[in-house]
Amino acid sequence: MAGSSVTPTNVPVGVLGATGTVGQRFIKLIALHPYFRLHALGASARSAGQPYHKAVAGRWKQTTPIPQAARDLIVHACVPEPFQGCAIIFSGLDADVAGDVESAFRRAEHAVFSNAKNHRRDPQTPLVVPLVNPSHLSLIPYQRSIQSPPLQKGFIVTNANCSTTGLVVPLTALEKAYGPLDAVMVTTMQAISGAGYPGVPSLDIMDNVVPYIGGEEEKLEWETSKILGGITLDGTTFDLHAESPLRVSAACNRVPVMEGHTETVSVRFTKRPPPTPQQVRETLEAFTCAAQAPLCVPSAPKQAIFVHEEIDRPQPRLDRDFQNGAGVNVGRIRECPVLDVKFVVLSNNVAIGAATSSIMNAEIAIAMGLVSL
Ligand SMILES: NC(=O)C1=CN([C@@H]2O[C@H](COP(=O)(O)OP(=O)(O)OC[C@H]3O[C@@H](n4cnc5c(N)ncnc54)[C@H](OP(=O)(O)O)[C@@H]3O)[C@@H](O)[C@H]2O)C=CC1
Ligand SMILES: N[C@@H](CC(=O)OP(=O)(O)O)C(=O)O
């Protein structure tokens, strides 16, 4: 994948849903970014019209203070006009409104990078985990061409569900090395922050495990095939891994952890005999992705997959902030007596599971020359 040799400077960006759990992480990351600059913020009518620091008063949940670059920006309603000067729009909008709002921003010729689920299944919308399938961004020109009227600059790219994101990174490493997977069984233990703020009531989650997250299992089972699949030969849509159907069975649970989704995963390979646990370990450790090289985007982790050797790792409290949450942690790689190999995955749901993925997707799209700056 070719990369641009020119590093952009001073790229103005807007954040929709800037006051929420994901939005706050965007603010924190963009304030420190080498070339993105906060230009406009949006949220609901409850926040609109106030300076950002007042809009988030009492609900700023980051461990660092509100960045100066955001404090006094006025929060707008989520309509395109106040965002006119933005080259990129990041969306951390509630899914109840994200679909229509993001479509309106695309119509207004904005490049939209969304965390919300609404457009993920659109046949021409890339669903991109930046460590896995940035090549899907090449569908952007076709997406623009089929809008009515056709667009010059506007498009929507989504990132995946936060649990799907952690899962597909090791799966893609395994498929690249050993060919298509046949079956995946995954059980998630998802952090409370995944449900936004204020999210799950404390009386439901303390001293408890809730074995149901609405719609989550279906997302893991469906999104995995779109992400691990390719683009059809005519370049107009995604093949959903159709040549070698991948069976995924997910069981999703909410656990009393603040940040970091843990997943236990068992896989069956098509290839017989399958690789050994030691071969799987070496493959995961050696995995590199285009975001690291040749694209060399600034938010890419040094190591896409960190393999823990300690028998009791990864753990969310200890490992979720490793590499600023931009990589994926794997551990306990061993033989599975039912499928072939099993292991544990931990990924930070608000970093690589959300804001970091969107930011990296935008960096990659810029490096691929797909964003008009
Ligand atoms: N939390 C996570 O780990 C992940 C979340 N996601 C997805 O990202 C999105 C944001 O999630 P999260 O940050 O957790 O959610 P929050 O509930 O914490 O934040 C929602 C944001 O949307 C805004 N909003 C709500 N209603 C409206 C409206 N009618 N018009 C305009 N803005 C509105 C809120 O503004 P206000 O403050 O003014 O109400 C707030 O900024 C969701 O689609 C979620 O599914 C994806 C991956 C991971
Ligand atoms: N549902 C996820 C977070 C989320 O919002 O996912 P999605 O963007 O796929 O709706 C969780 O609870 O941890």
Side-chain angles (χ1 to χ4, degrees):
M1 190 179 300
S4 156
S5 52
V6 185
T7 304
T9 51
N10 214 19
V11 177
V13 307
V15 180
L16 305 177
T19 49
T21 304
V22 174
Q24 292 184 17
R25 193 72 175 217
F26 270 127
I27 299 292
K28 185 173 162 166
L29 291 171
I30 294 167
L32 297 170
H33 195 273
Y35 51 80
F36 290 144
R37 178 174 54 80
L38 288 168
H39 184 73
L41 307 181
S44 78
R46 295 179 285 277
S47 310
Q50 304 180 64
Y52 186 69
H53 70 94
K54 287 219 170 108
V56 293
R59 53 188 181 129
W60 176 258
K61 298 296 169 191
Q62 307 305 303
T63 52
T64 48
I66 300 171
Q68 283 301 331
R71 278 190 70 79
D72 296 320
L73 288 179
I74 299 295
V75 178
H76 297 288
C78 292
V79 291
E81 289 70 30
F83 293 80
Q84 257 173 16
C86 298
I88 301 268
I89 300 291
F90 292 114
S91 169
L93 279 174
D94 191 298
D96 285 350
V97 294
D100 290 345
V101 171
E102 291 167 2
S103 294
F105 274 74
R106 172 171 61 188
R107 264 196 310 280
E109 295 283 14
H110 281 293
V112 180
F113 291 85
S114 171
N115 281 273
K117 65 182 176 190
N118 308 62
H119 290 284
R120 288 183 195 148
R121 290 189 183 223
D122 293 358
Q124 280 79 36
T125 299
L127 170 57
V128 177
V129 173
L131 309 178
V132 173
N133 62 328
S135 61
H136 285 196
L137 294 172
S138 62
L139 220 84
I140 287 173
Y142 183 69
Q143 184 194 130
R144 285 176 176 142
S145 74
I146 59 163
Q147 303 305 309
S148 179
L151 299 173
Q152 301 298 312
K153 302 194 287 185
F155 60 82
I156 297 173
V157 165
T158 66
N159 38 296
N161 168 270
C162 37
S163 290
T164 309
T165 299
L167 176 68
V168 294
V169 179
L171 296 192
T172 200
L174 296 179
E175 286 212 326
K176 281 199 165 125
Y178 306 110
L181 290 165
D182 171 44
V184 177
M185 301 280 291
V186 53
T187 300
T188 71
M189 289 152 273
Q190 300 187 206
I192 314 163
S193 55
Y197 185 79
V200 189
S202 55
L203 286 179
D204 285 342
I205 196 64
M206 286 181 71
D207 186 30
N208 207 10
V209 168
V210 181
Y212 174 71
I213 303 174
E216 200 77 353
E217 294 171 353
E218 294 78 1
K219 280 184 265 182
L220 267 155
E221 291 170 3
W222 190 87
E223 291 178 13
T224 299
S225 291
K226 181 167 179 180
I227 295 163
L228 294 182
I231 294 177
T232 54
L233 281 178
D234 63 3
T236 62
T237 192
F238 303 95
D239 68 21
L240 309 179
H241 215 275
E243 271 195 19
S244 173
L246 173 60
R247 295 175 297 149
V248 181
S249 173
C252 295
N253 305 282
R254 187 75 68 195
V255 297
V257 163
M258 292 289 284
E259 210 171 283
H261 288 358
T262 306
E263 305 174 41
T264 55
V265 184
S266 294
V267 297
R268 186 177 195 281
F269 296 85
T270 309
K271 171 180 156 35
R272 309 317 291 171
T276 64
Q278 179 58 23
Q279 287 170 320
V280 165
R281 179 176 296 108
E282 288 163 12
T283 297
L284 297 182
E285 267 172 347
F287 176 69
T288 59
C289 58
Q292 297 167 308
L295 297 175
C296 306
V297 298
S299 302
K302 285 224 157 28
Q303 196 147 3
I305 300 173
F306 184 85
V307 179
H308 294 258
E309 288 304 329
E310 297 89 342
I311 197 66
D312 59 351
R313 300 283 277 273
Q315 297 179 17
R317 206 176 63 210
L318 301 177
D319 300 311
R320 62 192 165 207
D321 289 326
F322 180 60
Q323 303 189 99
N324 211 18
V328 170
N329 297 274
V330 172
R332 303 212 60 218
I333 301 166
R334 60 214 191 277
E335 201 171 301
C336 173
V338 178
L339 301 185
D340 292 330
V341 176
K342 57 183 175 177
F343 49 86
V344 181
V345 177
L346 169 75
S347 59
N348 188 315
N349 54 301
V350 283
I352 192 62
T356 305
S357 265
S358 276
I359 290 173
M360 229 189 289
N361 282 344
E363 293 170 349
I364 293 169
I366 290 172
M368 290 170 70
L370 293 163
V371 178
S372 305
L373 297 178

